Every structure is written in structure tokens, then in C-alpha cells.
Amino acid sequence: MKILISWTAFNNDYHSKEEVEQGAEKVNYDGPTMQFHEYFYTTGGYNKHIILSTSKNDDPRIDFMLAAIKREFSTHIVEPRYMDISDPIDITQIRPKIEKLLLEYNNDTIDIFFSPGTSIMQLAWYICHQSLGLKTRLLQTRSPRVAKSKKPELSELLIEQSSIPFTAIVREQQQSKQHSSIDYNITDSIASVYKKAVKIAQAETITCLIFGDSGTGKEHLANYIHKESARKANPFVAVNCSALNDNLLESRLFGYKKGAFTDAKEDKKGLLEETSGGTVFLDEIGDISPYMQQSLLRVLQQKEILPVGAAQPIKIDVRIVSATNKNLPQMCADGKFRWDLYYRLSVVELSLPTLQQRGEAEKKEMIDFFLKQKKQQLRKAKVLKLMPEVKQYLLTYPFPGNIRELENVIESFYVFCDDEVTLADLPTRLTQSLATDLNPFDWKRAEKDLIERALKFYQGNQAQVQRALGYGSINTLKSKMTEYELK
């Protein structure tokens, strides 16, 4: 099949309001779209012309154009496509959406009518033509007013393509943009993760799985991907899968029909339908049941949902980003998680380190950051001063709750302290083992922490923990677990 694709040219395909008031038709028959159909559509051998609009659902101007083409060229097949572009010069919105459209016709010959549209739309066509490896051509027309023949002229933009595949990433960025802001501090150890997130954001069809312990910032990273993507103008919704049972999670995600269960008094849309055009973040994805794993697999494969009590599926348009603190590959090997779902969720993977793994220098940077942030958020007159022994304790404390726990601790200081923070102001949970924790070289504390982390990572599989930690036998590991009262 041979497809023609183009944007509608709002400035040239239609007469102005003043011209219409003076008797002109709404559609300009001398505009690029009508001229293409008159002179080049039939000779080009096209099966279909897809006309793109920046609107979300419907566009009266497209309706006028379709009616004019049907009236003048009854055999020409024209299909409107609404691209939901809020900013026609935002490359991060435009490129992923036309890339997704072009990939729908990856087995067909595609001619791109390059002339209509903004300069950024034309740039997006060029990038896709160069990078996708599809059978595309870039065509442009010359108006009769400037053509030597005094008739519309058609030409192809011949661009030499490299034999080496490449991925084009274009990003509009203010030069003053920094890694840090009042809301979040992207330190050196996670800067590379966020740099990858920008590339993931612009790959519209890619799913992403984020690994990281609780409190490491997985939801913020997912939201960052959303905000850097073409979906940024649409909703971002986070769902904690571990907090809901099957029935609640299913009805929350997929919605339900009236009468589907006792309390279903009316039809209710699920989050995957309500968040159309946006991003849904599924946190703690490793905790969902086999039943929900199967249901979610269908969503990813078919791009559709079946509300509870419904007979017909509903097509959806959402991006799914998921996260877990579990070892999903090991869970798959143990038969607790579906391999096919894992592969669907993890086209690309990102990992966030714990606060302890980020090192003392970054922990100090985060303490200073939260001291300034909470001062502004809570409208305090000045930044709290931490006594040296308090700061040293915070630097040596392991913070099992990671960034979230550190943030909460600093916020509690502002609640109870006016000028400075002493050891007596530390939360009780931090001071229960104060004498031990003040020694950063305590071997037993470090060994216990290491065993706990390994047991969590390997889902309690002692044989794997023993091999990973290098103990000579499983009995050595068991004796250590008994010594440290670990289950």
C-alpha cells in the first residue's frame, strides 16, 4: 500500500475569516492540500491520504477539507488523524507522535508531504525519515506563483542517509537549567540515570522498569520521564500496587460497569482510561498477583482494557512506567512472576542507588539541600543549624528509608527546633543504637546490614545469599543469621 501523510496547512489551506465574510469558501482550492490532490494524487498512485491535525478529538477545519476533497475528487480516500499537539513548535511533543504513526505503516511505502506545517513539524519529519529506516520519501510542492511553468510543481527532497543506524534525540532546553531545583536535587551519582530518562521519555512506545529500594525516588524519576515526554500536558497518575488487593486494583485500573458488584451503582472509568494521553506509574509491580499479571499483560499487548462487568474491551492510550524493590528476574525464575510480563515492562531499565550507596559527600549535600528546602516550604525565618555531633550522626546513620527518611527527619527538626538541633532532638528511632551507630567502622553492624540486604534481594534464598556473600558454607550463614536475630 502507498500512503500519503501531511499536516493540514492552516495558513494556506483555508481562507481567512475576513475573506470568508467577503464571500470566499472556507477551503482554499489553491492551497497545498487541494493542489496536491488535483495534480499529483492520482499520478502518485496513492491508496490513502492521512491528514494530520494538532487537535485532540475533532477539528472543524479538517471536516471542511474532507468535504471539499470528497466533492471534487470522489475516488480519493482521505483519513483524518488527530494528534493532540498543544504546542506546534515543541519537538518533544511532535516527534514521538508522528514516529508512532509512521511505525503503524512500517510495511508500506510512505510519502511525506513536507510542505505544510511549522518548521518544527518539518524537522520532525526529517528526523523520522533519517532514523526509522522506513520506506519514506519527503515531497514538497512549489506554488504556481513562483513556478516557471505557472503550474504547481512537485519535487523530492533527496537526502543522503548514513549506512550506520542512529537515534536522533532533539531536546529544547534552556541554557540556565540546572540539575537542582527547590523541589528536587539531582546529585552526581544519579545524574546519569536522569540523562537516560530524557532519552526514554522521547521514545514514545518504550516501557520502562525502575529498580530501587523504598524511598530512593522511583516515583519522582517516573514523573520526570512523563514531564520530559510528549505526554507532559496530560495526567500523571501513580498507583501503589502493594496497597490494593486484586478486586480493588482491577476496578481502580480498569474501571467497572453498573451492577458489576454490590456497590457498583454506576459506570466508573478506570485510571488507565481516565489518564488517556498521559502516564500511569505502577509502583511495587512485583507485588501483584498472577491474576493481575495476566490482566496487565493484555493491556501491554493489546493496548486495551476490559472493565469489570463489561463485554467489550476499550482501547486506551497511556504510557506505563513501573517500579519495584524486588528482584524480578529471580521471581520469574522461581515461578512467582511471568517472564512475558517482565519483558513487556522492562524494555528499558533504570536503577536508583540507596542513600547509603551514594556516599557521605552526597549525603551531606542532601542534608544541606533539605535544610534549605524545608526552611522555604515551612516559611521559617532562617535555616536551622545542626550541631557538629548531630551532623556526624546523620552522616553515619544508614537511613534504611533512604531519601524519604532523611527528608522526614529534617522536616521534624523544623517542627520542634527554633535555632539549632542537638542530639536530644533526634527522633527516637534514630537514637536507639546511638553508641553503635556513631562508629562508622562497626564490623558487626555492617555485616548484619549486608546479610539483610542480600536476603531481601534474593527473596530469602539462603543458598544464593551464601554464594553471593562468599561464606564457606550454608551453616556459616545460618549461624550469622542466628547471631543477628535475622529471619
Side-chain angles (χ1 to χ4, degrees), residues 90-92 170-179 195 198 202 224 228 232:
D90 184 352
I91 189 71
T92 64
V170 179
R171 189 182 181 207
E172 190 177 1
Q173 180 177 0
Q174 295 180 356
Q175 294 301 310
S176 61
K177 188 174 182 179
Q178 303 293 325
H179 282 317
K195 187 176 180 180
V198 172
Q202 296 183 45
Y224 183 84
E228 291 291 325
K232 61 187 175 184

Side-chain angles (χ1 to χ4, degrees), residues 189-204:
S189 68
I190 60 172
S192 62
V193 178
Y194 276 78
K195 187 176 180 180
K196 291 178 182 177
V198 172
K199 297 181 178 181
I200 293 170
Q202 296 183 45
E204 174 74 11

Side-chain angles (χ1 to χ4, degrees), residues 75-104:
T75 61
H76 295 190
I77 298 175
V78 185
E79 174 187 312
R81 194 66 79 89
Y82 303 100
M83 304 301 284
D84 189 15
I85 303 292
S86 61
D87 185 351
I89 59 170
D90 184 352
I91 189 71
T92 64
Q93 280 196 61
I94 298 168
R95 186 194 63 79
K97 295 195 174 185
I98 64 169
E99 178 182 281
K100 183 180 180 181
L101 171 65
L102 291 173
L103 289 172
E104 289 182 27

Side-chain angles (χ1 to χ4, degrees), residues 155 216 232 248 440 473:
S155 61
T216 52
K232 61 187 175 184
L248 286 174
S473 69

Side-chain angles (χ1 to χ4, degrees), residues 222 226 229 231 234-238 275 277-281 318-321:
H226 171 74
S229 75
R231 297 177 177 269
N234 297 310
F236 172 86
V237 176
T275 317
T279 303
V280 172
F281 172 56
V318 295
R319 182 178 201 164
I320 291 180
V321 178

Side-chain angles (χ1 to χ4, degrees), residues 169-389:
I169 298 294
V170 179
R171 189 182 181 207
E172 190 177 1
Q173 180 177 0
Q174 295 180 356
Q175 294 301 310
S176 61
K177 188 174 182 179
Q178 303 293 325
H179 282 317
S180 301
S181 69
I182 185 60
D183 297 318
Y184 207 80
N185 186 31
I186 301 176
T187 57
D188 290 344
S189 68
I190 60 172
S192 62
V193 178
Y194 276 78
K195 187 176 180 180
K196 291 178 182 177
V198 172
K199 297 181 178 181
I200 293 170
Q202 296 183 45
E204 174 74 11
T205 60
I206 299 299
T207 57
C208 176
L209 178 61
I210 303 172
F211 288 98
D213 284 359
S214 179
T216 52
K218 299 189 293 294
E219 182 174 340
H220 183 275
L221 181 58
N223 200 357
Y224 183 84
I225 292 172
H226 171 74
K227 289 179 178 178
E228 291 291 325
S229 75
R231 297 177 177 269
K232 61 187 175 184
N234 297 310
F236 172 86
V237 176
V239 180
N240 188 334
C241 298
S242 65
L244 304 171
N245 61 33
D246 277 1
N247 292 337
L248 286 174
L249 184 59
E250 183 179 31
S251 60
R252 182 87 182 271
L253 291 179
F254 306 146
Y256 52 82
K257 291 294 185 180
K258 180 180 178 181
F261 47 85
T262 304
D263 293 326
K265 306 298 184 184
E266 57 184 4
D267 290 355
K268 174 69 174 177
K269 288 183 178 181
L271 290 177
L272 292 173
E273 185 179 0
E274 283 188 330
T275 317
S276 179
T279 303
V280 172
F281 172 56
L282 300 179
D283 198 8
E284 307 302 348
I285 193 69
D287 291 333
I288 65 174
S289 69
Y291 171 76
M292 284 305 300
Q293 290 176 36
Q294 173 62 39
S295 299
L296 189 57
L297 181 63
R298 174 181 177 148
V299 173
L300 295 171
Q301 288 177 331
Q302 307 298 330
K303 307 296 182 187
E304 63 183 27
I305 58 171
L306 185 66
V308 179
Q312 296 295 325
I314 299 172
K315 286 290 182 182
I316 59 168
D317 174 27
V318 295
R319 182 178 201 164
I320 291 180
V321 178
S322 52
T324 184
N325 60 8
K326 294 189 163 139
N327 184 352
L328 282 193
Q330 184 60 49
M331 289 181 66
C332 291
D334 294 339
K336 298 177 181 178
F337 202 85
R338 298 178 63 110
W339 278 113
D340 48 4
L341 177 57
Y342 168 69
Y343 290 133
R344 287 279 182 178
L345 292 170
S346 62
V347 175
V348 291
E349 296 180 355
L350 295 174
S351 294
L352 287 170
T354 64
L355 180 58
Q356 198 73 355
Q357 291 169 338
R358 290 165 67 168
E360 185 175 303
E362 285 199 8
K363 190 184 287 188
K364 182 179 183 301
E365 182 180 340
M366 292 306 300
I367 291 171
D368 293 339
F369 170 76
F370 282 128
L371 283 170
K372 294 175 184 176
Q373 183 197 59
K374 297 305 173 184
K375 177 256 181 187
Q376 288 186 258
Q377 289 180 349
L378 300 174
R379 302 182 184 277
K380 297 294 183 178
K382 57 184 178 180
V383 175
L384 282 176
K385 178 183 178 182
L386 302 185
M387 298 302 289
E389 59 270 22

